[in-house]
mmCIF file of all heavy atoms in Angstrom:
data_model
loop_
_atom_site.group_PDB
_atom_site.id
_atom_site.type_symbol
_atom_site.label_atom_id
_atom_site.label_comp_id
_atom_site.label_asym_id
_atom_site.label_seq_id
_atom_site.Cartn_x
_atom_site.Cartn_y
_atom_site.Cartn_z
ATOM 1 N N THR A 1 -12.140 -22.048 -17.606
ATOM 2 C CA THR A 1 -10.851 -22.093 -16.915
ATOM 3 C C THR A 1 -10.113 -20.766 -17.080
ATOM 4 O O THR A 1 -9.566 -20.213 -16.112
ATOM 5 C CB THR A 1 -9.975 -23.248 -17.442
ATOM 6 O OG1 THR A 1 -10.680 -24.462 -17.254
ATOM 7 C CG2 THR A 1 -8.652 -23.305 -16.724
ATOM 8 N N GLN A 2 -10.110 -20.259 -18.297
ATOM 9 C CA GLN A 2 -9.410 -19.000 -18.554
ATOM 10 C C GLN A 2 -10.054 -17.848 -17.787
ATOM 11 O O GLN A 2 -9.354 -17.004 -17.225
ATOM 12 C CB GLN A 2 -9.403 -18.707 -20.047
ATOM 13 C CG GLN A 2 -8.474 -17.574 -20.428
ATOM 14 C CD GLN A 2 -8.308 -17.445 -21.926
ATOM 15 O OE1 GLN A 2 -8.983 -18.113 -22.703
ATOM 16 N NE2 GLN A 2 -7.410 -16.579 -22.327
ATOM 17 N N ILE A 3 -11.363 -17.824 -17.717
ATOM 18 C CA ILE A 3 -12.059 -16.774 -16.982
ATOM 19 C C ILE A 3 -11.746 -16.876 -15.492
ATOM 20 O O ILE A 3 -11.539 -15.873 -14.810
ATOM 21 C CB ILE A 3 -13.580 -16.824 -17.250
ATOM 22 C CG1 ILE A 3 -13.847 -16.360 -18.680
ATOM 23 C CG2 ILE A 3 -14.349 -15.958 -16.254
ATOM 24 C CD1 ILE A 3 -15.268 -16.564 -19.159
ATOM 25 N N GLY A 4 -11.661 -18.113 -14.976
ATOM 26 C CA GLY A 4 -11.285 -18.302 -13.566
ATOM 27 C C GLY A 4 -9.894 -17.776 -13.274
ATOM 28 O O GLY A 4 -9.661 -17.122 -12.245
ATOM 29 N N ILE A 5 -8.957 -18.048 -14.174
ATOM 30 C CA ILE A 5 -7.585 -17.548 -13.991
ATOM 31 C C ILE A 5 -7.562 -16.024 -14.065
ATOM 32 O O ILE A 5 -6.903 -15.356 -13.261
ATOM 33 C CB ILE A 5 -6.645 -18.173 -15.043
ATOM 34 C CG1 ILE A 5 -6.480 -19.670 -14.777
ATOM 35 C CG2 ILE A 5 -5.279 -17.473 -15.048
ATOM 36 C CD1 ILE A 5 -5.768 -20.429 -15.886
ATOM 37 N N LEU A 6 -8.299 -15.457 -15.013
ATOM 38 C CA LEU A 6 -8.356 -13.998 -15.139
ATOM 39 C C LEU A 6 -8.979 -13.370 -13.895
ATOM 40 O O LEU A 6 -8.530 -12.306 -13.437
ATOM 41 C CB LEU A 6 -9.130 -13.587 -16.393
ATOM 42 C CG LEU A 6 -8.417 -13.825 -17.703
ATOM 43 C CD1 LEU A 6 -9.380 -13.606 -18.862
ATOM 44 C CD2 LEU A 6 -7.219 -12.907 -17.841
ATOM 45 N N ASN A 7 -9.993 -14.023 -13.346
ATOM 46 C CA ASN A 7 -10.618 -13.520 -12.130
ATOM 47 C C ASN A 7 -9.611 -13.504 -10.970
ATOM 48 O O ASN A 7 -9.532 -12.529 -10.215
ATOM 49 C CB ASN A 7 -11.831 -14.374 -11.792
ATOM 50 C CG ASN A 7 -12.639 -13.793 -10.663
ATOM 51 O OD1 ASN A 7 -12.702 -12.591 -10.460
ATOM 52 N ND2 ASN A 7 -13.287 -14.662 -9.895
ATOM 53 N N ARG A 8 -8.823 -14.571 -10.867
ATOM 54 C CA ARG A 8 -7.792 -14.633 -9.815
ATOM 55 C C ARG A 8 -6.749 -13.543 -10.048
ATOM 56 O O ARG A 8 -6.338 -12.847 -9.104
ATOM 57 C CB ARG A 8 -7.123 -16.002 -9.802
ATOM 58 C CG ARG A 8 -6.116 -16.164 -8.679
ATOM 59 C CD ARG A 8 -5.438 -17.521 -8.634
ATOM 60 N NE ARG A 8 -6.259 -18.655 -8.963
ATOM 61 C CZ ARG A 8 -6.100 -19.413 -10.076
ATOM 62 N NH1 ARG A 8 -5.130 -19.154 -10.924
ATOM 63 N NH2 ARG A 8 -6.882 -20.434 -10.308
ATOM 64 N N ARG A 9 -6.319 -13.379 -11.289
ATOM 65 C CA ARG A 9 -5.326 -12.348 -11.592
ATOM 66 C C ARG A 9 -5.848 -10.964 -11.269
ATOM 67 O O ARG A 9 -5.115 -10.120 -10.732
ATOM 68 C CB ARG A 9 -4.915 -12.415 -13.062
ATOM 69 C CG ARG A 9 -4.059 -13.609 -13.404
ATOM 70 C CD ARG A 9 -3.668 -13.611 -14.853
ATOM 71 N NE ARG A 9 -2.876 -12.427 -15.178
ATOM 72 C CZ ARG A 9 -2.689 -11.983 -16.405
ATOM 73 N NH1 ARG A 9 -3.212 -12.609 -17.434
ATOM 74 N NH2 ARG A 9 -1.971 -10.917 -16.619
ATOM 75 N N LEU A 10 -7.115 -10.718 -11.571
ATOM 76 C CA LEU A 10 -7.724 -9.425 -11.288
ATOM 77 C C LEU A 10 -7.759 -9.166 -9.782
ATOM 78 O O LEU A 10 -7.482 -8.057 -9.321
ATOM 79 C CB LEU A 10 -9.133 -9.385 -11.858
ATOM 80 C CG LEU A 10 -9.760 -8.036 -12.128
ATOM 81 C CD1 LEU A 10 -8.875 -7.179 -13.011
ATOM 82 C CD2 LEU A 10 -11.119 -8.218 -12.776
ATOM 83 N N ARG A 11 -8.039 -10.207 -9.007
ATOM 84 C CA ARG A 11 -8.040 -10.083 -7.543
ATOM 85 C C ARG A 11 -6.631 -9.767 -7.038
ATOM 86 O O ARG A 11 -6.438 -8.895 -6.181
ATOM 87 C CB ARG A 11 -8.573 -11.374 -6.928
ATOM 88 C CG ARG A 11 -8.938 -11.272 -5.489
ATOM 89 C CD ARG A 11 -9.609 -12.526 -4.943
ATOM 90 N NE ARG A 11 -9.096 -13.744 -5.539
ATOM 91 C CZ ARG A 11 -9.823 -14.629 -6.232
ATOM 92 N NH1 ARG A 11 -11.084 -14.455 -6.416
ATOM 93 N NH2 ARG A 11 -9.269 -15.699 -6.748
ATOM 94 N N TYR A 12 -5.622 -10.447 -7.582
ATOM 95 C CA TYR A 12 -4.238 -10.161 -7.190
ATOM 96 C C TYR A 12 -3.865 -8.728 -7.523
ATOM 97 O O TYR A 12 -3.221 -8.041 -6.716
ATOM 98 C CB TYR A 12 -3.256 -11.106 -7.886
ATOM 99 C CG TYR A 12 -3.274 -12.531 -7.381
ATOM 100 C CD1 TYR A 12 -2.934 -13.577 -8.232
ATOM 101 C CD2 TYR A 12 -3.625 -12.854 -6.078
ATOM 102 C CE1 TYR A 12 -2.926 -14.903 -7.804
ATOM 103 C CE2 TYR A 12 -3.634 -14.163 -5.637
ATOM 104 C CZ TYR A 12 -3.285 -15.180 -6.496
ATOM 105 O OH TYR A 12 -3.296 -16.477 -6.062
ATOM 106 N N VAL A 13 -4.236 -8.260 -8.707
ATOM 107 C CA VAL A 13 -3.901 -6.887 -9.108
ATOM 108 C C VAL A 13 -4.603 -5.894 -8.180
ATOM 109 O O VAL A 13 -4.016 -4.883 -7.783
ATOM 110 C CB VAL A 13 -4.253 -6.633 -10.588
ATOM 111 C CG1 VAL A 13 -4.167 -5.158 -10.933
ATOM 112 C CG2 VAL A 13 -3.350 -7.444 -11.489
ATOM 113 N N LYS A 14 -5.833 -6.197 -7.787
ATOM 114 C CA LYS A 14 -6.554 -5.320 -6.851
ATOM 115 C C LYS A 14 -5.782 -5.219 -5.541
ATOM 116 O O LYS A 14 -5.574 -4.119 -5.002
ATOM 117 C CB LYS A 14 -7.962 -5.860 -6.616
ATOM 118 C CG LYS A 14 -8.762 -5.052 -5.616
ATOM 119 C CD LYS A 14 -10.160 -5.597 -5.437
ATOM 120 C CE LYS A 14 -10.140 -6.868 -4.634
ATOM 121 N NZ LYS A 14 -11.486 -7.335 -4.243
ATOM 122 N N TYR A 15 -5.326 -6.360 -5.026
ATOM 123 C CA TYR A 15 -4.598 -6.352 -3.757
ATOM 124 C C TYR A 15 -3.225 -5.689 -3.896
ATOM 125 O O TYR A 15 -2.801 -4.944 -3.007
ATOM 126 C CB TYR A 15 -4.427 -7.759 -3.204
ATOM 127 C CG TYR A 15 -5.721 -8.386 -2.736
ATOM 128 C CD1 TYR A 15 -6.010 -9.710 -3.012
ATOM 129 C CD2 TYR A 15 -6.661 -7.646 -2.016
ATOM 130 C CE1 TYR A 15 -7.191 -10.284 -2.578
ATOM 131 C CE2 TYR A 15 -7.841 -8.221 -1.589
ATOM 132 C CZ TYR A 15 -8.104 -9.536 -1.870
ATOM 133 O OH TYR A 15 -9.279 -10.103 -1.444
ATOM 134 N N LEU A 16 -2.520 -5.939 -4.976
ATOM 135 C CA LEU A 16 -1.207 -5.327 -5.118
ATOM 136 C C LEU A 16 -1.322 -3.819 -5.257
ATOM 137 O O LEU A 16 -0.509 -3.073 -4.733
ATOM 138 C CB LEU A 16 -0.372 -5.972 -6.218
ATOM 139 C CG LEU A 16 -0.787 -5.882 -7.682
ATOM 140 C CD1 LEU A 16 -0.223 -4.660 -8.345
ATOM 141 C CD2 LEU A 16 -0.250 -7.127 -8.389
ATOM 142 N N GLN A 17 -2.382 -3.361 -5.945
ATOM 143 C CA GLN A 17 -2.586 -1.917 -6.046
ATOM 144 C C GLN A 17 -2.968 -1.328 -4.676
ATOM 145 O O GLN A 17 -2.488 -0.262 -4.306
ATOM 146 C CB GLN A 17 -3.687 -1.595 -7.057
ATOM 147 C CG GLN A 17 -3.240 -1.756 -8.475
ATOM 148 C CD GLN A 17 -4.350 -1.422 -9.453
ATOM 149 O OE1 GLN A 17 -5.515 -1.704 -9.222
ATOM 150 N NE2 GLN A 17 -3.972 -0.831 -10.577
ATOM 151 N N PHE A 18 -3.826 -2.030 -3.942
ATOM 152 C CA PHE A 18 -4.241 -1.570 -2.621
ATOM 153 C C PHE A 18 -3.030 -1.389 -1.699
ATOM 154 O O PHE A 18 -2.868 -0.361 -1.056
ATOM 155 C CB PHE A 18 -5.256 -2.558 -2.018
ATOM 156 C CG PHE A 18 -5.652 -2.231 -0.627
ATOM 157 C CD1 PHE A 18 -6.533 -1.193 -0.354
ATOM 158 C CD2 PHE A 18 -5.179 -2.974 0.441
ATOM 159 C CE1 PHE A 18 -6.912 -0.891 0.940
ATOM 160 C CE2 PHE A 18 -5.540 -2.690 1.746
ATOM 161 C CZ PHE A 18 -6.423 -1.637 1.991
ATOM 162 N N PHE A 19 -2.171 -2.421 -1.647
ATOM 163 C CA PHE A 19 -1.019 -2.327 -0.751
ATOM 164 C C PHE A 19 0.026 -1.328 -1.268
ATOM 165 O O PHE A 19 0.724 -0.703 -0.459
ATOM 166 C CB PHE A 19 -0.404 -3.705 -0.513
ATOM 167 C CG PHE A 19 -1.211 -4.517 0.462
ATOM 168 C CD1 PHE A 19 -2.028 -5.528 0.017
ATOM 169 C CD2 PHE A 19 -1.176 -4.230 1.814
ATOM 170 C CE1 PHE A 19 -2.792 -6.276 0.902
ATOM 171 C CE2 PHE A 19 -1.923 -4.966 2.714
ATOM 172 C CZ PHE A 19 -2.746 -5.981 2.262
ATOM 173 N N ALA A 20 0.104 -1.127 -2.561
ATOM 174 C CA ALA A 20 1.005 -0.103 -3.100
ATOM 175 C C ALA A 20 0.511 1.289 -2.704
ATOM 176 O O ALA A 20 1.317 2.154 -2.342
ATOM 177 C CB ALA A 20 1.120 -0.223 -4.619
ATOM 178 N N VAL A 21 -0.798 1.494 -2.752
ATOM 179 C CA VAL A 21 -1.352 2.793 -2.337
ATOM 180 C C VAL A 21 -1.123 3.002 -0.841
ATOM 181 O O VAL A 21 -0.761 4.109 -0.411
ATOM 182 C CB VAL A 21 -2.852 2.895 -2.702
ATOM 183 C CG1 VAL A 21 -3.509 4.082 -2.027
ATOM 184 C CG2 VAL A 21 -3.019 2.981 -4.208
ATOM 185 N N LEU A 22 -1.335 1.953 -0.035
ATOM 186 C CA LEU A 22 -1.039 2.082 1.401
ATOM 187 C C LEU A 22 0.431 2.408 1.629
ATOM 188 O O LEU A 22 0.762 3.223 2.498
ATOM 189 C CB LEU A 22 -1.397 0.788 2.137
ATOM 190 C CG LEU A 22 -2.872 0.524 2.400
ATOM 191 C CD1 LEU A 22 -3.046 -0.816 3.099
ATOM 192 C CD2 LEU A 22 -3.492 1.639 3.217
ATOM 193 N N SER A 23 1.306 1.787 0.863
ATOM 194 C CA SER A 23 2.729 2.069 0.982
ATOM 195 C C SER A 23 3.032 3.519 0.610
ATOM 196 O O SER A 23 3.812 4.191 1.290
ATOM 197 C CB SER A 23 3.518 1.105 0.081
ATOM 198 O OG SER A 23 4.892 1.372 0.180
ATOM 199 N N LEU A 24 2.421 3.976 -0.459
ATOM 200 C CA LEU A 24 2.618 5.354 -0.898
ATOM 201 C C LEU A 24 2.099 6.329 0.170
ATOM 202 O O LEU A 24 2.768 7.324 0.494
ATOM 203 C CB LEU A 24 1.878 5.583 -2.219
ATOM 204 C CG LEU A 24 2.120 6.868 -2.976
ATOM 205 C CD1 LEU A 24 3.591 7.017 -3.329
ATOM 206 C CD2 LEU A 24 1.275 6.888 -4.237
ATOM 207 N N PHE A 25 0.940 6.025 0.727
ATOM 208 C CA PHE A 25 0.387 6.875 1.786
ATOM 209 C C PHE A 25 1.314 6.895 2.997
ATOM 210 O O PHE A 25 1.604 7.950 3.565
ATOM 211 C CB PHE A 25 -1.012 6.388 2.178
ATOM 212 C CG PHE A 25 -1.643 7.208 3.251
ATOM 213 C CD1 PHE A 25 -2.246 8.423 2.954
ATOM 214 C CD2 PHE A 25 -1.608 6.794 4.577
ATOM 215 C CE1 PHE A 25 -2.826 9.199 3.946
ATOM 216 C CE2 PHE A 25 -2.188 7.557 5.577
ATOM 217 C CZ PHE A 25 -2.790 8.757 5.263
ATOM 218 N N SER A 26 1.773 5.722 3.436
ATOM 219 C CA SER A 26 2.651 5.638 4.604
ATOM 220 C C SER A 26 3.980 6.356 4.357
ATOM 221 O O SER A 26 4.524 7.010 5.237
ATOM 222 C CB SER A 26 2.933 4.181 4.980
ATOM 223 O OG SER A 26 1.758 3.565 5.418
ATOM 224 N N SER A 27 4.485 6.225 3.133
ATOM 225 C CA SER A 27 5.729 6.899 2.782
ATOM 226 C C SER A 27 5.546 8.426 2.814
ATOM 227 O O SER A 27 6.403 9.148 3.332
ATOM 228 C CB SER A 27 6.182 6.443 1.394
ATOM 229 O OG SER A 27 7.369 7.074 1.006
ATOM 230 N N THR A 28 4.430 8.882 2.286
ATOM 231 C CA THR A 28 4.133 10.314 2.309
ATOM 232 C C THR A 28 3.976 10.814 3.746
ATOM 233 O O THR A 28 4.508 11.863 4.114
ATOM 234 C CB THR A 28 2.844 10.604 1.516
ATOM 235 O OG1 THR A 28 2.999 10.080 0.201
ATOM 236 C CG2 THR A 28 2.550 12.086 1.442
ATOM 237 N N PHE A 29 3.265 10.033 4.553
ATOM 238 C CA PHE A 29 3.075 10.410 5.955
ATOM 239 C C PHE A 29 4.408 10.387 6.700
ATOM 240 O O PHE A 29 4.644 11.239 7.567
ATOM 241 C CB PHE A 29 2.048 9.487 6.619
ATOM 242 C CG PHE A 29 1.516 10.026 7.909
ATOM 243 C CD1 PHE A 29 0.751 11.176 7.935
ATOM 244 C CD2 PHE A 29 1.784 9.372 9.101
ATOM 245 C CE1 PHE A 29 0.259 11.680 9.135
ATOM 246 C CE2 PHE A 29 1.301 9.866 10.303
ATOM 247 C CZ PHE A 29 0.535 11.020 10.322
ATOM 248 N N ALA A 30 5.274 9.455 6.342
ATOM 249 C CA ALA A 30 6.610 9.399 6.956
ATOM 250 C C ALA A 30 7.392 10.672 6.645
ATOM 251 O O ALA A 30 8.035 11.251 7.524
ATOM 252 C CB ALA A 30 7.370 8.162 6.491
ATOM 253 N N MET A 31 7.331 11.109 5.378
ATOM 254 C CA MET A 31 8.025 12.348 5.009
ATOM 255 C C MET A 31 7.480 13.539 5.790
ATOM 256 O O MET A 31 8.234 14.384 6.272
ATOM 257 C CB MET A 31 7.922 12.605 3.505
ATOM 258 C CG MET A 31 8.773 11.681 2.678
ATOM 259 S SD MET A 31 8.803 12.101 0.923
ATOM 260 C CE MET A 31 7.175 11.633 0.408
ATOM 261 N N LEU A 32 6.149 13.584 5.936
ATOM 262 C CA LEU A 32 5.524 14.678 6.672
ATOM 263 C C LEU A 32 5.950 14.669 8.131
ATOM 264 O O LEU A 32 6.328 15.717 8.692
ATOM 265 C CB LEU A 32 4.003 14.586 6.561
ATOM 266 C CG LEU A 32 3.205 15.614 7.368
ATOM 267 C CD1 LEU A 32 3.438 17.004 6.822
ATOM 268 C CD2 LEU A 32 1.738 15.262 7.360
ATOM 269 N N THR A 33 5.918 13.504 8.766
ATOM 270 C CA THR A 33 6.265 13.437 10.194
ATOM 271 C C THR A 33 7.752 13.699 10.420
ATOM 272 O O THR A 33 8.127 14.283 11.439
ATOM 273 C CB THR A 33 5.841 12.090 10.810
ATOM 274 O OG1 THR A 33 6.361 11.021 10.025
ATOM 275 C CG2 THR A 33 4.330 11.975 10.874
ATOM 276 N N ILE A 34 8.590 13.286 9.498
ATOM 277 C CA ILE A 34 10.029 13.583 9.625
ATOM 278 C C ILE A 34 10.252 15.089 9.433
ATOM 279 O O ILE A 34 11.050 15.706 10.142
ATOM 280 C CB ILE A 34 10.853 12.756 8.623
ATOM 281 C CG1 ILE A 34 10.849 11.287 9.044
ATOM 282 C CG2 ILE A 34 12.279 13.289 8.513
ATOM 283 C CD1 ILE A 34 11.425 10.331 8.001
ATOM 284 N N LEU A 35 9.507 15.682 8.513
ATOM 285 C CA LEU A 35 9.630 17.104 8.239
ATOM 286 C C LEU A 35 9.288 17.946 9.470
ATOM 287 O O LEU A 35 9.941 18.960 9.747
ATOM 288 C CB LEU A 35 8.727 17.494 7.064
ATOM 289 C CG LEU A 35 8.831 18.921 6.562
ATOM 290 C CD1 LEU A 35 10.208 19.192 5.974
ATOM 291 C CD2 LEU A 35 7.757 19.182 5.529
ATOM 292 N N VAL A 36 8.284 17.522 10.221
ATOM 293 C CA VAL A 36 7.905 18.270 11.431
ATOM 294 C C VAL A 36 8.601 17.744 12.671
ATOM 295 O O VAL A 36 8.227 18.073 13.798
ATOM 296 C CB VAL A 36 6.362 18.305 11.627
ATOM 297 C CG1 VAL A 36 5.699 19.080 10.505
ATOM 298 C CG2 VAL A 36 5.789 16.921 11.761
ATOM 299 N N ASP A 37 9.608 16.904 12.451
ATOM 300 C CA ASP A 37 10.523 16.431 13.498
ATOM 301 C C ASP A 37 9.879 15.477 14.513
ATOM 302 O O ASP A 37 10.226 15.485 15.692
ATOM 303 C CB ASP A 37 11.180 17.611 14.213
ATOM 304 C CG ASP A 37 12.569 17.239 14.742
ATOM 305 O OD1 ASP A 37 13.155 16.284 14.223
ATOM 306 O OD2 ASP A 37 13.036 17.921 15.686
ATOM 307 N N PHE A 38 8.935 14.678 14.050
ATOM 308 C CA PHE A 38 8.420 13.557 14.844
ATOM 309 C C PHE A 38 9.109 12.298 14.350
ATOM 310 O O PHE A 38 8.516 11.472 13.638
ATOM 311 C CB PHE A 38 6.904 13.426 14.717
ATOM 312 C CG PHE A 38 6.110 14.520 15.345
ATOM 313 C CD1 PHE A 38 5.056 15.111 14.665
ATOM 314 C CD2 PHE A 38 6.400 14.964 16.630
ATOM 315 C CE1 PHE A 38 4.312 16.115 15.253
ATOM 316 C CE2 PHE A 38 5.654 15.973 17.219
ATOM 317 C CZ PHE A 38 4.609 16.554 16.532
ATOM 318 N N MET A 39 10.364 12.141 14.706
ATOM 319 C CA MET A 39 11.197 11.086 14.135
ATOM 320 C C MET A 39 10.662 9.678 14.408
ATOM 321 O O MET A 39 10.661 8.831 13.517
ATOM 322 C CB MET A 39 12.646 11.199 14.633
ATOM 323 C CG MET A 39 13.393 12.371 14.049
ATOM 324 S SD MET A 39 13.359 12.421 12.235
ATOM 325 C CE MET A 39 14.428 11.040 11.884
ATOM 326 N N PHE A 40 10.222 9.418 15.611
ATOM 327 C CA PHE A 40 9.727 8.067 15.915
ATOM 328 C C PHE A 40 8.550 7.712 15.022
ATOM 329 O O PHE A 40 8.511 6.631 14.423
ATOM 330 C CB PHE A 40 9.326 7.924 17.396
ATOM 331 C CG PHE A 40 8.740 6.578 17.702
ATOM 332 C CD1 PHE A 40 9.557 5.465 17.845
ATOM 333 C CD2 PHE A 40 7.361 6.409 17.821
ATOM 334 C CE1 PHE A 40 9.021 4.208 18.096
ATOM 335 C CE2 PHE A 40 6.822 5.163 18.083
ATOM 336 C CZ PHE A 40 7.646 4.054 18.217
ATOM 337 N N LEU A 41 7.591 8.618 14.896
ATOM 338 C CA LEU A 41 6.425 8.377 14.047
ATOM 339 C C LEU A 41 6.844 8.287 12.575
ATOM 340 O O LEU A 41 6.309 7.480 11.808
ATOM 341 C CB LEU A 41 5.391 9.494 14.251
ATOM 342 C CG LEU A 41 4.014 9.272 13.648
ATOM 343 C CD1 LEU A 41 3.391 7.975 14.156
ATOM 344 C CD2 LEU A 41 3.109 10.455 13.964
ATOM 345 N N GLY A 42 7.810 9.091 12.193
ATOM 346 C CA GLY A 42 8.314 9.042 10.814
ATOM 347 C C GLY A 42 8.973 7.715 10.508
ATOM 348 O O GLY A 42 8.726 7.124 9.453
ATOM 349 N N ILE A 43 9.810 7.231 11.408
ATOM 350 C CA ILE A 43 10.475 5.943 11.214
ATOM 351 C C ILE A 43 9.433 4.823 11.198
ATOM 352 O O ILE A 43 9.486 3.918 10.362
ATOM 353 C CB ILE A 43 11.548 5.708 12.293
ATOM 354 C CG1 ILE A 43 12.697 6.693 12.095
ATOM 355 C CG2 ILE A 43 12.055 4.271 12.265
ATOM 356 C CD1 ILE A 43 13.672 6.743 13.254
ATOM 357 N N PHE A 44 8.479 4.887 12.127
ATOM 358 C CA PHE A 44 7.409 3.878 12.174
ATOM 359 C C PHE A 44 6.654 3.819 10.845
ATOM 360 O O PHE A 44 6.411 2.744 10.292
ATOM 361 C CB PHE A 44 6.453 4.183 13.325
ATOM 362 C CG PHE A 44 5.268 3.254 13.375
ATOM 363 C CD1 PHE A 44 5.387 1.989 13.917
ATOM 364 C CD2 PHE A 44 4.035 3.667 12.864
ATOM 365 C CE1 PHE A 44 4.300 1.121 13.943
ATOM 366 C CE2 PHE A 44 2.950 2.807 12.892
ATOM 367 C CZ PHE A 44 3.090 1.529 13.425
ATOM 368 N N ASN A 45 6.286 4.984 10.303
ATOM 369 C CA ASN A 45 5.545 5.012 9.036
ATOM 370 C C ASN A 45 6.400 4.577 7.852
ATOM 371 O O ASN A 45 5.897 3.970 6.911
ATOM 372 C CB ASN A 45 4.948 6.408 8.805
ATOM 373 C CG ASN A 45 3.667 6.582 9.542
ATOM 374 O OD1 ASN A 45 2.674 5.956 9.199
ATOM 375 N ND2 ASN A 45 3.693 7.387 10.583
#
């Protein structure tokens, strides 16, 4: 039972890290697009 719970927790951590990295990438891309004055793309990202 404990191993099953740990496996689930590990899967959750994998997903939360994945989406945090996507968020970081999108945020960085937003800064880049705003910097080069592509406001719509920057706001979208």
Side-chain angles (χ1 to χ4, degrees):
T1 302
Q2 191 171 7
I3 289 171
I5 292 170
L6 287 170
N7 188 30
R8 184 180 323 112
R9 288 181 61 198
L10 202 54
R11 194 174 35 240
Y12 288 152
V13 169
K14 178 178 74 171
Y15 291 138
L16 65 89
Q17 286 180 323
F18 175 75
F19 283 103
V21 168
L22 284 178
S23 180
L24 190 60
F25 180 80
S26 294
S27 180
T28 304
F29 196 66
M31 287 187 288
L32 176 66
T33 53
I34 290 170
L35 185 65
V36 295
D37 209 22
F38 291 134
M39 288 306 289
F40 176 77
L41 191 56
I43 292 169
F44 176 79
N45 278 291

